[in-house]
Amino acid sequence: MLVSGTGSILQALMDACADPGYGARIVAVGADRTGTGGVARAEAAGIPTFVRRLKDSPERFAWDRMLTSECAAFEPDLVIMAGFLKLVGADFLRQFDGRIVNTHPALLPSFPGLHSVRDALRHGVKVTGCSVILVDAGVDSGPILAQESVPVLDTDDEATLHERIKVAERTLVVDTVGRMVRDGWSVQERRARIGASAGRARW
Ligand code: GAR
């Protein structure tokens, strides 16, 4: 798993993985910065961690290459980005093609990018939510695996709305990743399917 922040979604997945019936195990947690809550949570649980900062690499492609080999060393079946705030590059996408999952605090394709909660509030939407997607070379543009809606309240600011989205997001990520690992998934053009209707399972 890759994180940049507090890691509450990581924690939800760690809790789910404690049940063998869930079907997944977190093999490592990586971050793009030091001092993240996500890495602290993983260390406390005895999960291997690593930090790979962009500013420590001379070029972005060198950072991407290092991140790729650090992740690949753990031989993950899936790479889950849970609040990971960097775009990965060509090496990473090639290595984990079709197996990178990201969670985003908006109903994509509306409000991609880093400030999606603020952008949704400013736009004045009455319903927003979260999306679990497969990562492609674009910004939050990959096939959508699952979505959940969240109402925007008149009293909301960015913090309260994001917190309410994250409650829905934790459940959605745990449910989606669990179904993927247990039942497989497929993608046809832009349409991702999980489970019995997925046809040829990826898992
Ligand atoms: C989540 O809302 C996730 O969607 C968002 O960061 C939060 C992480 O929360 N990711 C992005 O905005 C990526 N564009 P957490 O650190 O508590 O798990």
Side-chain angles (χ1 to χ4, degrees):
M1 289 199 51
L2 293 174
V3 297
S4 299
T6 59
S8 71
I9 295 167
L10 162 69
Q11 184 68 56
L13 274 166
M14 282 165 49
D15 294 347
C17 289
D19 174 1
Y22 181 67
R25 184 170 65 89
I26 300 172
V27 292
V29 172
D32 65 323
R33 58 197 72 186
T34 54
T36 60
V39 163
R41 289 173 197 267
E43 280 173 350
I47 297 170
T49 64
F50 59 91
V51 173
R52 177 58 46 194
R53 301 190 308 175
L54 181 56
K55 64 181 173 193
D56 293 337
S57 295
E59 306 276 358
R60 198 172 179 109
F61 80 85
W63 171 80
D64 189 59
R65 192 164 292 166
M66 292 293 291
L67 185 73
T68 303
S69 61
E70 266 163 323
C71 287
F74 292 99
E75 301 183 347
D77 296 308
L78 275 180
V79 177
I80 300 167
M81 297 178 174
F84 187 64
L85 301 179
K86 289 277 186 305
L87 292 175
V88 290
D91 273 2
F92 199 95
L93 290 169
R94 206 175 306 114
Q95 176 79 31
F96 303 110
D97 180 37
R99 298 184 288 136
I100 311 168
V101 174
N102 188 24
T103 175
H104 182 77
L107 290 176
L108 293 167
S110 293
F111 311 116
L114 278 180
H115 304 293
S116 48
V117 179
R118 189 188 313 168
D119 293 344
L121 260 181
R122 284 195 180 148
H123 196 89
V125 295
K126 301 304 181 200
V127 177
T128 183
C130 45
S131 306
V132 179
I133 65 171
L134 288 167
V135 173
D136 66 9
V139 177
D140 300 322
S141 57
I144 295 167
L145 291 158
Q147 292 183 304
E148 185 62 60
S149 60
V150 173
V152 180
L153 307 181
D154 289 348
T155 50
D156 268 333
D157 59 22
E158 188 177 349
T160 61
L161 179 56
H162 197 174
E163 207 41 59
R164 225 168 43 261
I165 291 171
K166 289 211 303 185
V167 172
E169 212 174 352
R170 290 192 276 270
T171 304
L172 189 70
V173 171
V174 166
D175 174 69
T176 306
V177 169
R179 290 193 297 119
M180 289 173 80
V181 299
R182 290 189 303 271
D183 303 332
W185 73 97
S186 68
V187 181
Q188 226 174 1
E189 311 224 331
R190 282 204 50 89
R191 293 192 70 187
R193 294 183 178 85
I194 302 172
S197 61
R200 192 171 59 90
R202 283 289 309 266
W203 197 253

